[in-house]
Amino acid sequence: MRPTKTKIPEHADLLGDPRGRRVPVLLPFPFAGPFDYRVPRALDPQPGDIVMVPLNRREEVGVVWDGEPDNSVGDNRLRALISILDIPPMRADIRRLVDWIAAYTLTPPGEVLTMALRLGAYRPEPIPLGWQRAENPPEIRLTEPRQKLLAALPPGTPRGSADLLRETGVSPGVIRGLADAGLLVPVTLPTAPPFAIPDPAHPGPTLSPDQEAAAAELRAAVAARRFGVTLLEGVTGSGKTEVYLEAIATCLREGRQVLILLPEIALSSQWLDRFTRRFGVPPAVWHSDLSPRTRRITWRAVGTGAAPVVVGARSALFLPFPDLGLVIIDEEHETAFKQEEGIIYHARDMAVVRARLCHAPCILVSATPSLETVANVETGRYRRVHLPDRHGGATMPEIALIDLRITPPDRGRFLSPALVKDITATLERGEQAMLFLNRRGYAPLTLCRACGHRVQCPNCTAWLVEHRARRELQCHHCGHSIPTPIACPECAAEHSLTAIGPGVERITEEARLTFPQARILVMASDTIAGPHAAAEAARAIEAREVDLVIGTQIVAKGWHFPHLTLVGVVDADLGLNGGDLRASERTVQLLHQVSGRAGRAEAPGRVCLQTFSPEHPVMQALLHGDLETFMLREAAQRRPGNWPPYGRLAALIVSADTADGADRMARDLGRAAPHGDGIVVLGPAPAPLAILRGRHRRRLLLKTRRDVAVQPLLRAWLADVPTSGSVRVDVDVDPITFQ
Ligand code: ADP
Ligand code: ZN
């Protein structure tokens, strides 16, 4: 029997044996490792137990860790555990995952613990208070906020205040006001919302022979209850989702849990609908937008097994599944799985680790797998299951390259006559078209025609992006914004500032002029805020309330719009500038994804790529639909220099308040750089974003042969060159961006 939260007063220490048992406790702070604590006689802590311990003058929550105490603190200075909390302990596989991520990414384990612990989920449940509509409300006039709040509260369905306030954006006073006026009554909310159990016997579609063969392999992998990774590859629309839903069905029949990671949860409304159609009920979802209450309830439901299927974003990785039987990573090539701030880790790779720690099979899904995954298939570490064709006779879209050197748009325009003609024809047929440009705002650069001045961010090495509707210029790196100036900030010439280049806002302006009849929907992360707005946009498109969709990368992925037959890519070369290691690979993946939105049903699709370099291998691969040859060529280019995936990379990003401070640290690191067989250090060099949020940045890149372990090298290297003052060194193992 686990003791309940019994607080043992400090003097109880005296009762403990001073030379008695000690345990390591990991705390959610960036210390190098766990600290030892003495165990009072009344307690019997086991690894994973969540405990209260003294730390300096405070009490903190920690987790009893595994392994031997380190004994570096003498018995006389050792402090005692205060209590063991009466909540489920942290599972061993999650403790191992924390250790693994900490070691791999060179992050203090306590910092990883913070991410895994979700302290909120462990706090005792407050009494859940909610509100519902009064049965016989008085007839009174309602202000707009009051109407809004009532609209969010259908009769008979109580909801929590936090939840209501978050959704409606009204102030807490509105609820109080409505309660005082007798329109709302307080209620106790049910403590656990039901997580309905998905039914694997619910009928699914009849699979094609290719799909059936693929599903059979995945089912066998799930039934084997062993770790192993399978790549499920197939062009967009080939039925990959349908096939892996079969693997989920098998896992459910075995009574085990499933985790599905998706790159952007905002894209999942259609995904959730499909899941619901297949299994009768929706799965549990996990993402950063959940209310604290839903978060806590979901966390616990996963922990007790009450939630058999979870679909989530990166952090779902740390949920406490007691019986994980399958891990699926959809769109495995997506760079959104890489967390670039704080703890720098790749959720796809860590999900594979999680699957291995749980002895569960793992399925990576993509139409355009990453070169890393392809290499793992080549060496036989991963299996590959392939769906060659689009489902139901839908053909791959026809791809056309529009050479902007030969058929440029009219002056001041961005859509070439050929593309305009295609869009016009599409709209005349009553079909839908999409314009894709991966850039928010009106124009990426504002230039003074009088003096040539370019309006820059004061905090970053970046131009300010014009957002014309909001009448401001904004930095897309730090968020700094200024009202759009009338005069040049440099030479004071009036009305001399000119917008250079397009963003989606400018393309929308042009489209309104060119296609005045078309009903246009703009989808960018700043116009479509959150999953609800995305779901509503998707519904409007499916319902054919929209003729022309104009969007950034949020339109690129996952969506299935049967009436959309034309995709126009405004600037296909956009991702190729900058020239980092993966620029070509990423551009092919993104443009293939965007292209995949066209012609997914009976009507054939067409894709027009506007480019200045039609001969570029990326454009040729897309034109001929031959991604395989492209990837082989990429591989052949990376192999000789030991570039990933044939070698290893780790980046050190030095940042400091002053350029001098950053330079000095970067030079010191350069001098102490590791060397040896198969080890190269490139740099230091100014980062492309040489100043970010006011901090000066330098980069070094460690490149090694594949058989060299980079973590010990990095650890020794960093230990040699201590940081001081404002200087920071961030470590990015397996970097995918080089900014
Ligand atoms: P992918 O994930 O490879 O892009 P999907 O699984 O989304 O492909 O399938 C594309 C479309 O075809 C979806 O609307 C899906 O429901 C439909 N589809 C795929 N396979 C079948 C099938 N065997 N029977 C009926 N519809 C199918
Ligand atoms: Zn900035």
Side-chain angles (χ1 to χ4, degrees):
M1 200 50 211
R2 179 174 299 284
T4 50
K5 185 179 170 175
T6 41
K7 188 163 170 183
I8 302 188
E10 278 289 294
H11 66 254
D13 274 10
L14 303 172
L15 305 172
D17 179 348
R19 283 153 302 134
R21 197 177 147 208
R22 33 167 96 201
V23 286
V25 173
L26 189 62
L27 292 158
F29 299 101
F31 305 131
F35 290 162
D36 285 1
Y37 282 91
R38 183 168 64 242
V39 179
R41 277 205 185 125
L43 300 180
D44 178 23
Q46 300 299 318
D49 279 347
I50 318 288
V51 293
M52 296 300 294
V53 295
L55 181 73
N56 301 326
R57 284 169 202 291
R58 302 184 40 170
E59 291 180 4
E60 300 288 352
V61 176
V63 181
V64 178
W65 219 241
D66 311 75
E68 295 303 312
D70 78 349
N71 292 318
S72 61
V73 173
D75 284 336
N76 52 344
R77 287 185 27 238
L78 200 63
R79 304 183 70 184
L81 286 185
I82 298 168
S83 61
I84 299 174
L85 299 185
D86 182 27
I87 48 183
M90 177 173 275
R91 301 174 47 76
D93 55 296
I94 296 184
R95 303 199 302 274
R96 294 296 70 72
L97 186 68
V98 168
D99 283 337
W100 207 97
I101 294 178
Y104 192 83
T105 62
L106 274 81
T107 308
E111 260 182 71
V112 184
L113 181 73
T114 312
M115 202 161 55
L117 195 54
R118 294 276 166 193
L119 285 172
Y122 283 103
R123 278 198 203 104
E125 186 91 23
I127 294 171
L129 193 63
W131 298 94
Q132 72 180 23
R133 286 183 180 218
E135 299 243 317
N136 298 308
E139 296 264 342
I140 55 168
R141 259 176 51 86
L142 293 173
T143 59
E144 199 182 316
R146 287 183 173 192
Q147 287 176 13
K148 213 163 162 188
L149 195 116
L150 283 178
L153 204 56
T157 340
R159 293 179 68 180
S161 348
D163 202 22
L164 279 169
L165 296 177
R166 235 166 38 95
E167 183 182 305
T168 56
V170 305
S171 72
V174 175
I175 294 188
R176 241 173 293 129
L178 283 168
D180 290 345
L183 277 86
L184 290 187
V185 287
V187 289
T188 315
L189 294 174
T191 42
F195 278 91
I197 305 297
D199 175 11
H202 208 263
T206 311
L207 299 183
S208 71
D210 280 338
Q211 290 175 340
E212 181 49 43
E217 279 211 45
L218 299 183
R219 282 190 209 108
V222 173
R225 296 175 166 243
R226 261 200 320 272
F227 169 69
V229 183
T230 308
L231 165 66
L232 173 58
E233 185 182 357
V235 294
T236 50
S238 55
K240 297 184 295 296
T241 314
E242 227 52 79
V243 167
Y244 76 64
L245 289 175
E246 286 306 307
I248 295 175
T250 302
C251 194
L252 288 171
R253 282 193 196 97
E254 304 248 324
R256 311 187 70 196
Q257 289 173 294
V258 185
L259 167 64
I260 303 127
L261 290 186
L262 292 181
E264 261 148 284
I265 202 67
L267 296 186
S268 68
S269 63
Q270 286 192 332
W271 194 96
L272 292 175
D273 288 347
R274 281 185 68 181
F275 185 95
T276 309
R277 245 177 285 142
R278 177 63 183 83
F279 295 113
V281 297
V285 290
W286 183 264
H287 54 79
S288 53
D289 244 18
L290 297 180
S291 71
R293 187 179 127 78
T294 310
R295 187 174 281 278
R296 194 162 45 233
I297 290 169
T298 308
W299 179 279
R300 292 190 172 186
V302 172
T304 59
V309 181
V310 180
V311 56
R314 292 188 296 236
S315 58
L317 206 57
F318 296 100
L319 287 170
F321 297 93
D323 191 18
L324 192 56
L326 175 62
V327 177
I328 296 173
I329 300 128
D330 201 352
E331 312 286 9
E332 69 86 28
H333 61 276
E334 259 302 320
T335 50
F337 282 126
K338 180 78 186 279
Q339 175 157 306
E340 299 278 4
E341 308 236 309
I343 302 171
I344 303 177
Y345 73 102
H346 201 306
R348 174 198 59 210
D349 299 346
M350 298 311 138
V352 172
V353 172
R354 175 88 206 252
R356 199 181 63 212
L357 292 169
C358 295
H359 313 287
C362 181
I363 304 175
L364 305 179
V365 185
S366 179
T368 51
S370 62
L371 207 50
E372 274 69 18
T373 296
V374 172
N376 278 323
V377 171
E378 272 169 20
T379 57
R381 300 227 309 235
Y382 293 178
R383 238 170 335 172
R384 174 175 183 258
V385 172
H386 189 222
L387 294 173
D389 303 310
R390 275 197 158 177
H391 169 73
T395 48
M396 287 307 285
E398 173 202 350
I399 311 272
L401 299 179
I402 298 178
D403 188 339
L404 291 175
R405 295 167 310 188
I406 299 174
T407 52
D410 293 343
R411 229 182 109 69
R413 300 280 175 112
F414 299 95
L415 306 178
S416 72
L419 180 53
V420 169
K421 198 168 137 239
D422 268 344
I423 296 174
T424 308
T426 304
L427 299 181
E428 275 170 5
R429 283 195 304 272
E431 295 164 3
Q432 292 169 319
M434 173 186 280
L435 283 171
F436 171 75
L437 175 62
N438 205 5
R439 199 189 273 133
R440 290 185 290 126
Y442 187 83
L445 169 63
T446 302
L447 176 83
C448 172
R449 264 177 291 137
C451 73
H453 177 69
R454 299 158 174 221
V455 186
Q456 269 231 328
C457 176
N459 314 318
C460 306
T461 315
W463 297 328
L464 294 183
V465 178
E466 182 182 357
H467 287 257
R468 188 160 286 189
R470 300 204 304 261
R471 293 204 181 82
E472 61 178 30
L473 307 183
Q474 191 196 43
C475 172
H476 283 186
H477 294 286
C478 72
H480 174 82
S481 70
I482 55 169
T484 307
I486 296 171
C488 170
E490 190 68 18
C491 73
E494 286 201 10
H495 305 294
S496 67
L497 293 175
T498 316
I500 305 291
V504 277
E505 203 183 327
R506 193 169 196 176
I507 296 301
T508 306
E509 180 185 88
E510 182 174 335
R512 291 223 159 90
L513 289 172
T514 316
F515 316 106
Q517 308 299 328
R519 294 165 299 172
I520 294 175
L521 175 72
V522 183
M523 289 179 78
S525 58
D526 51 350
T527 63
I528 302 281
H532 290 302
E536 170 50 26
R539 190 207 56 76
I541 299 171
E542 282 175 73
R544 303 178 91 161
E545 291 164 15
V546 171
D547 305 307
L548 179 59
V549 184
I550 301 177
T552 61
Q553 61 172 342
I554 71 167
V555 302
K557 296 147 200 170
W559 303 107
H560 179 75
F561 299 128
H563 309 292
L564 188 98
T565 56
L566 178 71
V567 170
V569 177
V570 177
D571 183 357
D573 308 328
L574 187 59
L576 295 174
N577 312 328
D580 74 45
L581 171 68
R582 290 186 172 81
S584 292
E585 181 190 351
R586 280 214 303 264
T587 304
V588 155
Q589 285 163 345
L590 179 61
L591 295 183
H592 180 81
Q593 286 292 329
V594 186
S595 306
R597 296 319 106 212
R600 290 174 66 95
E602 302 79 40
R606 181 173 160 80
V607 178
C608 297
L609 305 171
Q610 297 198 131
T611 173
F612 282 101
S613 43
E615 69 291 339
H616 193 287
V618 165
M619 304 308 151
Q620 290 296 313
L622 292 163
L623 178 65
H624 300 294
D626 187 1
L627 302 187
E628 209 147 322
T629 308
F630 173 84
M631 291 304 256
L632 284 174
R633 193 175 156 281
E634 275 287 302
Q637 285 183 350
R638 293 198 207 165
R639 211 180 301 250
N642 286 336
W643 292 97
Y646 307 102
R648 296 180 190 279
L649 280 187
L652 297 187
I653 302 113
V654 178
S655 63
D657 285 349
T658 62
D660 265 4
D663 278 331
R664 210 170 316 120
M665 183 67 191
R667 265 198 313 271
D668 290 352
L669 280 168
R671 267 196 293 273
H675 43 77
D677 198 18
I679 300 171
V680 184
V681 172
L682 306 167
L689 262 169
I691 309 175
L692 177 63
R693 297 188 191 94
R695 291 180 62 81
H696 296 258
R697 302 165 79 243
R698 306 289 181 266
R699 296 183 64 102
L700 296 101
L701 193 62
L702 168 67
K703 179 160 75 78
T704 73
R705 257 191 346 238
R706 213 179 148 78
D707 58 348
V708 177
V710 296
Q711 283 79 7
L713 287 176
L714 288 168
R715 239 172 253 127
W717 187 8
L718 293 170
D720 254 14
V721 191
T723 55
S724 66
S726 77
V727 178
R728 266 184 68 108
V729 180
D730 289 308
V731 183
D732 182 356
V733 179
D734 308 329
I736 54 175
T737 56
F738 297 84
Q739 294 214 305

